[in-house]
């Protein structure tokens, strides 16, 4: 999936299966590292939804020119 693509929920970020009994510890170790993908994904999802809400209300409150001029991009300051 290309970066930035919006995908439906209930999709798997990654799966992992250990097939070597000698490396029983490796699965949990790698899951701990890879789960760090979850945080930025969540921040991006929340920011996207917040921007949609901002645009909706800018347009419905009589300031659609803000959106047309691209100034809505400066309405959400997310330091996630």
């Amino acid at each position: 999936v290309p970066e930035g693509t919006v995908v439906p929920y209930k999709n798997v970020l990654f799966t992992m299966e250990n097939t070597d009994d000698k490396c029983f510890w490796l699965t949990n170790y790698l899951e701990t590292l890879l789960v760090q993908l979850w945080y930025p994904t969540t921040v991006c999802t929340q920011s996207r939804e917040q921007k949609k809400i901002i645009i909706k209300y800018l347009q419905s409150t009589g300031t659609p020119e803000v959106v047309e001029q691209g100034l809505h991009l400066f309405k959400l300051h997310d330091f996630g």
Side-chain angles (χ1 to χ4, degrees), residues 3-55:
E3 184 175 346
T5 302
V6 178
V7 295
Y9 67 96
K10 294 188 179 181
N11 279 296
V12 178
L13 286 177
F14 62 87
T15 60
M16 189 175 306
E17 182 178 339
N18 188 347
T19 59
D20 187 352
D21 291 337
K22 294 181 213 167
C23 297
F24 63 92
W25 56 271
L26 188 57
T27 308
N28 285 344
Y29 176 77
L30 292 174
E31 279 182 342
T32 301
L33 292 176
L34 291 173
V35 81
Q36 293 177 16
L37 294 171
W38 173 83
Y39 180 74
T41 302
T42 301
V43 170
C44 290
T45 300
Q46 290 176 354
S47 294
R48 180 176 179 271
E49 293 303 313
Q50 291 166 1
K51 282 184 179 183
K52 286 168 46 179
I53 291 168
I54 289 170
I55 290 170

